[in-house]
Amino acid sequence: MEKLWFITNPNSGSATRPKCEALEAVFEERGLTLAGRTEFPDQELPTPATLEEAGVDTAVLFAGDGTINAALRALEQWNGAFLILPGGTMNLLAKGLHSETDPHKIVHAAHACDRRVALPYVEAGKHRAFVGLILGPAASWFRAREAVREGKVGHLFGAARAALRRTFGNRGIRVDGAKGLGDHYQAVFVTPDLQGLEVTAVDARDWGSIVQLGWDWMTGDWVAARAVTQTRADRLKVRGKRRVLALFDGEPVTLDPHETIKAGKSLETFIATRTDPEVPAA
């Protein structure tokens, strides 16, 4: 970790411009070279060729999970390392890789660390989720979440009402491949690990779960929503003939009918400064 490219999103979570500038000062303090920086989405993400030409060995990602996902997909053919810093709301990837939550301390620890790990992900076609995938009518809560992020109170209430209508006025989503699941769930959460997929299904008949789901969406921590049914699977397929809304690490995607959803694993390219069992050893 000597020559860096800094990727941020000033609109996500805590990755404000002053905090980005403070991190750049830490880079300089550690004797690290900053070869370039990208403010996503206002600027296009760098390509693998761009980083290779600049001699970059580490991409530092200081943003939310959705921006990190976009950067990882854009650079999946690149052979360098990734340092994930907590710059969003949930910061689940950063929490899994580091024992610290202070980005400055993580940079100091990472500069003295040569440990690289692979991370599991959920994959459907060209789309990947390193944190998790949400399927079903409740995925429409993402519009309310965006209104919260942008401070648009008027849009928030309209988006929340629309999400409630879709959540309760829809028969739900059905998936094949997960033992023990019934029909017509309002939300199916799929999270990856190195043994496959963990599947959590929420039924709209449980008012408390759906109300909590909506609240957790608007406050940022959708993973905290209560579960009705939990199981595991190697592969999943959405039943039916219509395309469905899905959220990959919180970002909306429309999946084709019967798209295969499976687990995958990255290369050992993520810098990990924690050594407990939450992060698989490289």
Side-chain angles (χ1 to χ4, degrees):
M1 181 172 153
E2 299 296 337
K3 198 167 187 180
L4 315 178
W5 194 284
F6 195 27
I7 300 175
T8 70
N9 183 340
N11 299 317
S12 68
S14 58
T16 62
R17 285 189 176 86
K19 290 184 178 180
C20 291
E21 292 170 0
L23 277 170
E24 291 180 14
V26 175
F27 300 157
E28 184 175 357
E29 177 187 342
R30 297 295 300 191
L32 301 169
T33 299
L34 186 59
R37 60 176 63 81
T38 300
E39 286 191 0
F40 183 80
D42 293 336
Q43 298 175 334
E44 290 187 4
L45 291 166
T47 64
T50 299
L51 300 192
E52 289 169 6
E53 289 170 5
V56 172
D57 58 69
T58 305
V60 180
L61 309 181
F62 182 48
D65 292 322
T67 297
I68 290 171
N69 183 297
L72 294 178
R73 287 188 288 112
L75 295 172
E76 63 181 336
Q77 300 301 322
W78 182 56
N79 293 322
F82 295 97
L83 176 62
I84 308 296
L85 301 179
T89 304
M90 293 183 291
N91 302 312
L92 295 179
L93 282 178
K95 289 175 182 177
L97 291 164
H98 311 296
S99 55
E100 291 285 350
T101 58
D102 183 341
H104 296 192
K105 292 181 180 179
I106 293 173
V107 171
H108 286 293
H111 192 210
C113 174
D114 60 359
R115 185 165 180 255
R116 306 289 185 269
V117 301
L119 291 181
Y121 53 78
V122 181
E123 181 178 23
K126 64 180 181 179
H127 308 291
R128 292 180 180 178
F130 287 84
V131 174
L133 165 68
I134 297 180
L135 300 162
S140 59
W141 281 96
F142 87 90
R143 295 183 178 88
R145 179 205 60 190
E146 293 304 311
V148 170
R149 284 182 175 177
E150 297 170 7
K152 298 179 178 178
V153 177
H155 290 183
L156 165 61
F157 290 109
R161 284 195 299 269
L164 281 169
R165 284 197 304 270
R166 291 187 178 93
T167 300
F168 287 103
N170 191 298
R171 293 189 65 193
I173 192 166
R174 299 177 296 167
V175 297
D176 288 329
K179 184 179 180 180
L181 287 192
D183 287 340
H184 307 304
Y185 289 99
Q186 299 314 110
V188 175
F189 299 80
V190 186
T191 53
D193 60 36
L194 295 180
Q195 285 73 49
L197 302 174
E198 181 176 314
V199 183
T200 303
V202 178
D203 192 324
R205 288 173 294 183
D206 181 353
W207 255 91
S209 291
I210 296 301
V211 171
Q212 183 182 349
L213 172 63
W215 175 255
D216 290 336
W217 254 114
M218 290 189 287
T219 56
D221 193 8
W222 55 265
V223 175
R226 279 189 293 158
V228 173
T229 303
Q230 290 186 305
T231 185
R232 298 190 61 82
D234 294 323
R235 291 172 178 255
L236 295 173
K237 284 190 178 182
V238 177
R239 295 166 63 183
K241 299 179 180 179
R242 296 182 179 180
R243 304 182 77 195
V244 298
L245 175 65
L247 300 176
F248 285 78
D249 289 348
E251 301 304 315
V253 168
T254 303
L255 291 182
D256 292 329
H258 304 292
E259 184 82 74
T260 298
I261 300 166
K262 59 185 179 180
K265 187 175 76 169
S266 74
L267 299 176
E268 294 174 348
T269 58
F270 293 89
I271 297 174
T273 60
R274 71 185 301 170
T275 57
D276 62 42
E278 286 193 39
V279 178

